[in-house]
Amino acid sequence: MAKPLKVDEVWLDRIAGQLNDMEFGSLHIVVHEGQIVQMERTERKRFENTPSGTSKSGSTARSSSTRSLRGSNASAKG
């Protein structure tokens, strides 16, 4: 039977610290025998393809960028 996971304030602070300022990405938490033993952070930086090099703001531009990046990642893996 699995041991119940114990998450105290120290671990909550560590998890929050890893998530701070992450706009796109993931946090992988590894648990061994009911205790957190490792965290792996993968962060993505996304940029708009504009002539001036500045990114556009707004959810519409971000959504289209997300779809195109996911499509290219899927084809690269497969």
Side-chain angles (χ1 to χ4, degrees):
M1 178 176 213
K3 293 182 181 181
L5 179 63
K6 296 178 184 177
V7 182
D8 58 13
E9 284 297 316
V10 172
W11 277 107
L12 292 175
D13 289 342
R14 289 176 182 170
I15 292 168
Q18 291 295 310
L19 294 173
N20 280 341
D21 301 324
M22 183 188 301
E23 190 172 0
F24 299 100
S26 61
L27 180 64
H28 182 91
I29 300 172
V30 179
V31 176
H32 182 72
E33 295 184 0
Q35 292 184 333
I36 297 173
V37 295
Q38 180 176 327
M39 291 190 291
E40 299 172 18
R41 177 179 166 161
T42 303
E43 188 170 5
R44 306 279 188 238
K45 298 290 184 183
R46 298 188 179 167
F47 304 95
E48 292 295 322
N49 190 13
T50 59
S52 64
T54 59
S55 64
K56 295 180 183 177
S57 62
S59 60
T60 306
R62 187 174 288 157
S63 296
S64 62
S65 174
T66 302
R67 281 193 299 271
S68 65
L69 286 173
R70 285 186 182 153
S72 65
N73 285 343
S75 62
K77 290 181 181 178

